[in-house]
């Protein structure tokens, strides 16, 4: 089978789970199965339970991981729902790679790339809401909101106005057309094009990505796991901020409000400790081989209750 995807921070992910010698590791974002394959090869006595929303990814990874036989179980599901569905007694690790995979970016028909001739951006192609609907049907205020909240664009309203005015003359039907409309030149001081951040905002809206991440983090906290390692890879500040804040909260012994002068909760509320005070990032060697790894950040938490 031809290799079509290079998983980011692969060595770091393998290292995060190297001490796990039994039980189950959950791969919440299976994609092309690169991380799962490497973990299974490195940890001979563990089982992987994985999920993805994309049937194409599941079909590919099912074939890729078939050699591991009953050590792999794959579900078509969101990662927050998977955590709720399966038994958690044997879970020793959870991996989530919260990024757009090569499957989505490299295939023109998926409409994720600024060069795409289509406008889709759905990770689950059975859902109704897609990027074309968002771009052509959302109001000026709705577009402004998602560009501001999910793209962190200071000129969100101006960009939304451009789209609203343009679509009065014709429907926007391709990602390429949208990218040219909002601008492909890098934003001063950011080194990223407005189109990239606009696409990020639309993609998050279409796939409810931040809601999924919040649900995952809440589900993990409520599972009452014992001796488990949590590793989460993010690709932009909105996601990384959520993970960083959650890990910080999980490691707090005292949960009293800030205005309380003396602890009244009794302490002992931490469920574990943060293992990465600073997020792990790709080496220059990895970035040279895979430019998409440049923005990747890995944070690791150890549940030890």
């Amino acid at each position: 089978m031809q290799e079509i995807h290079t998983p980011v921070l692969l060595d770091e992910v393998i290292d995060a789970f190297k001490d796990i010698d039994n039980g189950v590791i959950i791969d919440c974002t299976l994609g092309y199965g690169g991380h799962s394959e490497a973990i299974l090869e490195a940890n001979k006595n563990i089982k992987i339970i994985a999920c993805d929303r994309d049937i194409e990814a599941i079909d590919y990874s099912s074939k890729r991981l078939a050699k591991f036989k009953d050590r792999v179980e794959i579900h078509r599901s969101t990662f927050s729902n998977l955590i709720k569905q399966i038994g958690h007694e044997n879970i020793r690790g959870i991996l989530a790679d919260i990024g757009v995979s090569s499957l989505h970016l490299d295939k023109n028909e998926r409409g994720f790339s600024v060069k795409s001739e289509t406008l889709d951006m759905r990770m689950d192609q059975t859902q109704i809401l897609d990027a074309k609907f968002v771009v052509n049907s959302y109001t000026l205020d709705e577009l402004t909101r998602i560009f501001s909240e999910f793209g962190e664009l200071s000129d969100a309203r101006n960009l939304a106005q451009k789209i609203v005015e343009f679509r009065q003359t014709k429907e926007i039907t391709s990602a390429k057309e949208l990218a040219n409309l909002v601008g492909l030149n890098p934003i001063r001081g950011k080194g990223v094009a407005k189109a990239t951040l606009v696409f990020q905002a639309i993609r998050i809206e279409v796939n409810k990505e931040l809601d999924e991440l919040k649900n995952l983090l809440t589900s993990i906290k409520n599972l009452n796991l014992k001796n488990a390692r949590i590793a989460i890879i993010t690709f932009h500040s909105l996601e990384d901020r959520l993970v960083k804040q959650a890990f910080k909260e999980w490691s707090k012994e005292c949960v009293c409000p800030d205005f309380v002068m003396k602890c009244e909760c009794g302490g002992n509320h931490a469920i574990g400790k943060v293992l990465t005070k600073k997020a792990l990032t790709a080496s220059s060697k990895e970035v040279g081989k895979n430019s998409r790894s440049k923005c990747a950040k890995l944070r690791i938490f150890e549940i030890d209750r």
Side-chain angles (χ1 to χ4, degrees):
M1 183 181 299
Q2 183 182 3
E3 175 58 57
I4 55 176
H5 174 59
T6 303
V8 301
L9 299 172
L10 185 58
D11 291 341
E12 290 80 1
V13 167
I14 293 172
D15 189 63
F17 297 115
K18 68 180 180 181
D19 297 325
I20 298 177
D21 55 9
N22 62 79
V24 172
I25 294 177
I26 308 296
D27 186 347
C28 299
T29 46
L30 176 62
Y32 277 134
H35 284 124
S36 281
E37 181 180 51
I39 293 170
L40 286 162
E41 288 176 344
N43 304 62
K44 302 299 183 182
N45 296 316
I46 63 96
K47 177 179 179 179
I48 288 278
I49 298 179
C51 72
D52 204 286
R53 287 187 273 179
D54 196 300
I55 191 63
E56 189 173 354
I58 289 175
D59 288 345
Y60 180 90
S61 293
S62 295
K63 295 173 184 176
R64 179 176 187 170
L65 302 176
K67 60 187 176 182
F68 297 104
K69 300 180 181 178
D70 59 355
R71 292 180 61 206
V72 182
E73 182 180 318
I74 298 175
H75 297 254
R76 186 177 186 186
S77 170
T78 60
F79 42 73
S80 58
N81 283 334
L82 176 69
I83 294 298
K84 298 173 185 176
Q85 293 169 8
I86 63 174
H88 64 273
E89 291 80 7
N90 295 321
I91 295 177
R92 299 293 312 284
I94 295 177
L95 170 67
D97 179 355
I98 315 294
V100 183
S101 73
S102 296
L103 165 71
H104 301 128
L105 289 172
D106 292 343
K107 293 207 167 188
N108 178 66
E109 64 268 25
R110 301 304 297 268
F112 282 86
S113 168
V114 295
K115 298 178 181 179
S116 178
E117 298 294 340
T118 59
L119 188 56
D120 192 325
M121 301 192 195
R122 290 174 298 171
M123 293 180 180
D124 177 358
Q125 291 188 293
T126 65
Q127 75 176 43
I128 297 173
L129 182 65
D130 62 9
K132 186 177 179 182
F133 181 86
V134 170
V135 170
N136 289 288
S137 303
Y138 271 31
T139 65
L140 174 64
D141 286 344
E142 288 172 329
L143 288 173
T144 300
R145 173 186 62 80
I146 66 171
F147 293 162
S148 177
E149 290 183 12
F150 302 152
E152 299 183 295
L153 285 152
S154 59
D155 58 344
R157 193 166 189 83
N158 289 336
L159 291 168
Q161 187 68 50
K162 270 188 180 183
I163 292 172
V164 170
E165 291 177 357
F166 184 88
R167 73 190 191 195
Q168 289 175 356
T169 61
K170 69 177 292 292
E171 186 180 52
I172 299 172
T173 58
S174 75
K176 185 176 181 179
E177 186 177 33
L178 175 62
N180 288 328
L181 176 62
V182 298
L184 285 164
N185 293 326
I187 302 171
R188 183 178 298 175
K190 286 193 174 183
V192 62
K194 286 186 180 181
T196 300
L197 297 179
V198 166
F199 276 45
Q200 171 184 299
I202 296 170
R203 194 193 76 233
I204 290 173
E205 174 69 11
V206 168
N207 298 292
K208 307 303 177 189
E209 293 175 32
L210 296 184
D211 289 340
E212 274 301 313
L213 178 55
K214 290 174 185 176
N215 289 338
L216 172 68
L217 292 167
T218 299
S219 298
I220 292 172
K221 182 182 179 182
N222 293 338
L223 276 176
N224 285 321
L225 297 176
K226 311 290 184 183
N227 302 316
R229 189 72 57 88
I230 315 300
I232 301 181
I233 301 171
T234 61
F235 287 82
H236 57 75
S237 59
L238 294 172
E239 295 168 341
D240 182 57
R241 198 175 302 137
L242 287 173
V243 175
K244 183 178 180 180
Q245 289 173 348
F247 284 5
K248 182 179 179 181
E249 289 298 315
W250 296 355
S251 62
K252 282 184 177 180
E253 294 289 354
C254 174
V255 294
C256 292
D258 292 338
F259 61 80
V260 175
M261 299 296 292
K262 184 179 179 180
C263 177
E264 298 177 356
C265 71
N268 198 34
H269 290 281
I271 65 173
K273 57 182 177 292
V274 179
L275 298 185
T276 48
K277 300 300 182 183
K278 184 178 179 181
L280 303 179
T281 57
S283 66
S284 56
K285 182 179 179 180
E286 180 178 356
V287 173
K289 291 181 178 179
N290 179 12
S291 61
R292 290 172 186 164
S293 66
K294 183 177 181 180
C295 299
K297 291 184 177 180
L298 171 63
R299 294 188 184 274
I300 305 169
F301 188 90
E302 184 169 65
I303 296 175
D304 56 10
R305 58 187 172 188

